[in-house]
Amino acid sequence: VQLQASGGGLVQPGGSLRLSCAVSESIFSISAVGWYRQVPGKQRELVATITGAGSIHYVDSVTGRFTISRDNAKNTVYLTMNNLKPEDTAVYYCNAGPPSAVLTLTFDSWGQGTLVTVSS
């Protein structure tokens, strides 16, 4: 399965962005999709996950500000980010697989991410 993240950009603190993850096949056939982010020099970290059954998980730092959702008809998973903070600045990636892999970032490869910069 191929995934492509898009929608990043420059936003002021307190602003919002919506990232998109286009999936090359029906998301009904995928166990789970996750959003991740990485700051240069730091490890890639989990942001949010959604399973095929609709179960959702957020890391504490984004809970209440970020929302993961999916559009089954468009084979797309979204990450809506509100009240953005400078510490949210990172390259954001999406990836898919079994829930265990999505939660532990255990993937053979990563696609190109999309850069989110939160700055005034």
Side-chain angles (χ1 to χ4, degrees):
V1 59
Q2 304 295 319
L3 301 101
Q4 179 63 54
S6 63
L10 173 63
V11 62
Q12 291 187 341
S16 299
L17 274 178
R18 189 178 78 163
L19 306 183
S20 299
C21 176
V23 184
S24 63
E25 61 186 62
S26 171
I27 57 177
F28 284 118
S29 68
I30 298 172
S31 296
V33 176
W35 278 101
Y36 309 87
R37 63 188 180 187
Q38 186 171 25
V39 176
K42 294 189 176 181
Q43 282 192 327
R44 195 167 298 174
E45 63 176 8
L46 174 68
V47 175
T49 66
I50 185 167
T51 69
S55 179
I56 289 173
H57 167 75
Y58 300 101
V59 296
D60 289 345
S61 59
V62 307
T63 297
R65 301 188 298 122
F66 290 13
T67 302
I68 189 170
S69 62
R70 67 185 187 208
D71 185 328
N72 297 334
K74 295 182 178 180
N75 291 335
T76 300
V77 175
Y78 300 102
L79 184 69
T80 303
M81 306 183 294
N82 297 318
N83 191 21
L84 281 160
K85 304 175 181 180
E87 51 264 41
D88 295 317
T89 296
V91 178
Y92 284 71
Y93 301 85
C94 57
N95 218 326
S100 59
V102 167
L103 287 172
T104 59
L105 288 73
T106 307
F107 301 107
D108 292 333
S109 63
W110 291 86
Q112 215 168 6
T114 185
L115 176 62
V116 173
T117 303
V118 184
S119 175
S120 55

